[in-house]
Amino acid sequence: MHVGNYLGLVHGSEQHLVDALKKVAEHHGDEPDIEETCRLLASWSEKHLEHLGLLVQKYGESKNLEPANMEKALFHGPQKGSLALLRDLHDLWLLANEVQLCWTVLEQAAQALRDDELERVCQECGRETKRQIAFFLTRIKQAAPQALVVA
């Protein structure tokens, strides 16, 4: 059984999402909605990490380097300005989609295993991750015209 592989993947991905959200909040503190919302969304992902504890005890966890490699490929240090904000939102959207896919895969495994607790955690965390993704996409749509068209 390979559930521990995906528990490791979602654990690493959620942790990197928390770290990235906090960095974006710091780098774009001049955007009040970004700082406050990124800190809120980071707290959701931190809660997801807490939920993983019991699941890891039950299924184990395989450490995975993919989340670290993904973060390195996406985020390129602190930058300021509208284009930097757009790029950071884009990167957050990509990272959150990785997290969402992990929760979806694990939910499918939970159904196959008839593990109600695993399924409940996946559904709850998946719902919140979808809300994170929706915020990023909405904010990307808002920031794109300013960043790409206005000189």
Side-chain angles (χ1 to χ4, degrees):
M1 190 164 41
H2 300 285
V3 173
N5 183 285
Y6 263 84
L7 287 173
L9 187 58
V10 76
H11 183 202
S13 297
E14 284 279 15
Q15 185 60 60
H16 285 284
L17 182 57
V18 167
D19 296 344
L21 283 161
K22 289 178 178 180
K23 287 176 188 172
V24 170
E26 288 175 24
H27 298 159
H28 300 288
D30 56 333
E31 298 277 344
D33 68 317
I34 293 296
E35 181 176 14
E36 186 176 316
T37 305
C38 283
R39 293 196 190 286
L40 173 65
L41 299 181
S43 74
W44 293 1
S45 287
E46 288 171 330
K47 186 177 72 175
H48 299 171
L49 290 168
E50 292 173 16
H51 288 309
L52 285 171
L54 291 175
L55 300 175
V56 167
Q57 286 179 357
K58 184 173 185 177
Y59 292 104
E61 176 181 22
S62 299
K63 296 296 180 190
N64 198 311
L65 296 177
E66 283 181 50
N69 293 338
M70 187 171 185
E71 185 180 9
K72 286 179 192 171
L74 294 176
F75 294 94
H76 301 286
Q79 298 176 353
K80 293 287 185 189
S82 59
L83 185 58
L85 173 61
L86 180 61
R87 291 299 313 179
D88 284 348
L89 290 166
H90 184 153
D91 291 347
L92 287 170
W93 183 89
L94 290 168
L95 192 52
N97 272 282
E98 170 70 10
V99 171
Q100 179 58 40
L101 184 57
C102 290
W103 288 123
T104 300
V105 169
L106 285 167
E107 184 179 354
Q108 296 303 304
Q111 291 170 0
L113 292 166
R114 292 178 168 64
D115 184 330
D116 294 336
E117 179 62 15
L118 177 57
E119 186 173 6
R120 183 194 64 73
V121 168
C122 292
Q123 289 173 348
E124 180 182 325
C125 295
R127 268 192 305 274
E128 289 183 342
T129 304
K130 285 178 185 175
R131 289 178 63 195
Q132 290 171 322
I133 292 167
F135 169 76
F136 300 139
L137 185 58
T138 298
R139 199 57 176 79
I140 286 167
K141 289 178 180 180
Q142 181 185 20
Q146 177 75 23
L148 299 179
V149 178
V150 177

